[in-house]
DNA sequence: ATGAAATGATACCAGCCAGTATCATTCATA
DNA sequence: TATGAATGATACTGGCTGGTATCATTTCAT
């Protein structure tokens, strides 16, 4: 039997988060996060047990409590990783020097292809379901997803339109373009097994581009 | 001990769905469905236990197996009810004889108010999460929600524009209008605790209406 | 090298849950 | 009113889960 713990010290034998960490420990820690992200994204928080994660990743439940404090901590860490991973392509398109139509088409298509990825859809689905329990993750998704891509659209529009509309109009245009490109296809993809194919994506982007051109042809 | 069941008959004492149903039974059956809908919508399939439903609704687990065959059956029945309930306002707006701007504004606002209801948002969230397990329900939601309201928009546009654009363009316009009105506000509402207020709703509808007017001013 | 700390494997606990069984009670109907 | 079916209450089963405890093994700083 261990000696009685001094006043204020941990009274149980629960493992405290380690300060020093072994190389092996670091590897296990990352493996756990990667595997957990995959499982959590596919089946949600309640749908995955710690035993399953451990069995797939190696290590042991002890690690989860030592590294992440518990199931919730592992979940948050894993999903924050996945967020950055899935939405990275949103910021990748290079539109310097492109004209309005060409640039919007490229940006819109990049958005659509990123959002309709199976990984992005699964993550989106899961986050919507868990927003009640983990509000911070939902906010992070919105910030990294729609907010980011709308900002990218706005930046391009400001350049391409060379200040013709007022700044406030630019933001609105960007939002409308975003919704016209992605709204319906993403919505349907969340409920159907097979996301829209090449033809539908191109048509959706083309329609949105035509709309923006019509909206900017006169004063707005 | 019951006599040995004849060949092919139910071998266990599990209660078969009843053919005759008592008045009390009918009442319990409906109470179970109502209460279950409320709980399932709020917390999802796994988040609600049969014992909890029974405790809140009265009756007993026996009823659930007799009336609905099990948890899944009760879930599907309850959610199908809720679908019809929540999306009913979508079809309520009367736009006969209204001009383009006035009619679109009224329809758009009706859509937005229906979609941003706490009940609709909770149902939407939950359905997205359970689509993997219950694909039929997701399809039913899309059909009763976006598809229905897009059809309503298309019907009005066809009347208000008096056949000016071709039919194919009408459908596209309706979809774009739907997405411009609801896309961003609904998306945000799914992740934020408080949905958009009066000012934002009016602004979103107004922007979408202006866009449609601009798109139809010339040939489309 | 060596010993304290980090890590791994495993068993365990308490609680929850879907589904079933059993028996008491209530209802519809003849 | 009498009777058989429908309904209600309750307990049980088998399985799973998050979290903890225990002890063996590995790592790494000294």
């Amino acid at each position: 039997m261990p000696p009685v713990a001094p006043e204020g010290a941990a009274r149980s034998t629960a493992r405290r988060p380690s300060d020093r960490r072994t190389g092996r420990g670091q590897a296990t820690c990352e493996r756990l996060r990667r595997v957990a992200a995959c499982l959590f994204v596919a089946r949600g928080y309640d749908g995955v047990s710690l035993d399953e994660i451990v069995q797939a990743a190696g290590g042991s439940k002890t690690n989860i409590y030592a590294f992440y404090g518990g199931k919730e901590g592992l979940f948050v860490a894993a999903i924050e990783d996945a967020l950055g991973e899935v939405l990275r392509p949103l910021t990748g398109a290079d539109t310097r020097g492109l004209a309005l139509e060409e640039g919007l088409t490229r940006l819109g298509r990049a958005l659509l292809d990123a959002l309709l990825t199976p990984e992005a859809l699964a993550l989106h689905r899961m986050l919507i379901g868990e927003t009640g329990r983990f509000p911070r993750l939902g906010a992070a998704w919105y910030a990294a997803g729609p907010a980011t891509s709308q900002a990218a659209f706005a930046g391009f529009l400001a350049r391409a339109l060379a200040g013709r509309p007022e700044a406030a109009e630019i933001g609105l245009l960007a939002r409308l373009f975003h919704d016209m490109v992605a709204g319906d296809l993403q919505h349907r993809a969340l409920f159907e097994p097979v996301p829209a194919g090449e033809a539908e994506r191109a048509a959706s982007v083309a329609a949105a581009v035509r709309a923006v051109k019509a909206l900017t042809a006169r004063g707005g």
Side-chain angles (χ1 to χ4, degrees), chain A:
Chain A
M1 185 212 266
V4 173
E7 185 71 18
R11 198 154 310 197
S12 81
T13 61
R15 220 157 293 189
R16 326 247 56 253
S18 54
D19 41 352
R20 268 187 282 174
R21 177 159 315 167
T22 292
R24 187 171 49 144
Q26 187 62 31
T28 301
C29 180
E30 283 159 16
R31 228 178 321 121
L32 281 169
R33 212 166 52 231
R34 270 207 322 278
V35 169
C38 189
L39 293 171
F40 280 135
V41 164
R43 303 212 301 274
Y45 183 80
D46 283 327
V48 184
S49 75
L50 294 187
D51 287 313
E52 187 178 0
I53 295 171
V54 162
Q55 193 184 2
S60 70
K61 275 198 282 189
T62 315
N63 302 132
I64 293 178
Y65 287 87
F67 296 150
Y68 299 105
K71 192 182 186 183
E72 297 201 356
L74 174 59
F75 179 80
V76 170
I79 297 309
E80 278 174 348
D81 266 23
L83 274 182
E85 206 56 44
V86 164
L87 295 175
R88 192 184 315 280
L90 278 189
T91 62
D94 179 11
T95 58
R96 278 171 301 190
L98 292 182
L100 181 66
E101 178 160 352
E102 174 71 13
L104 277 185
T105 301
R106 200 169 295 186
L107 281 172
R109 187 53 192 263
L111 169 69
L112 214 42
D113 287 341
L115 287 183
L116 297 187
T117 292
E119 296 80 33
L121 287 171
L123 184 55
H124 190 178
R125 250 193 288 267
M126 192 274 291
L127 279 175
I128 287 179
E130 307 291 355
T131 286
R133 220 185 322 214
F134 302 95
R136 269 184 33 222
L137 290 180
W141 164 270
Y142 186 83
T148 295
S149 52
Q150 284 177 32
F153 295 153
F156 171 75
L157 283 172
R159 268 184 292 141
L161 297 176
R164 212 172 341 144
E166 320 127 37
E169 288 298 312
I170 289 281
L172 177 60
L173 257 184
R175 177 172 85 65
L176 293 179
F177 180 69
H178 176 280
D179 291 346
M180 287 189 287
V181 166
D184 196 59
L185 292 188
Q186 187 181 24
H187 211 147
R188 276 168 45 197
L190 287 174
F191 290 111
E192 291 172 1
V194 177
E198 166 60 30
E200 272 185 299
R201 299 183 191 200
S204 185
V205 172
V209 170
R210 265 188 293 138
V212 168
K213 282 174 67 180
L215 290 175
T216 54
R218 20 163 257 153

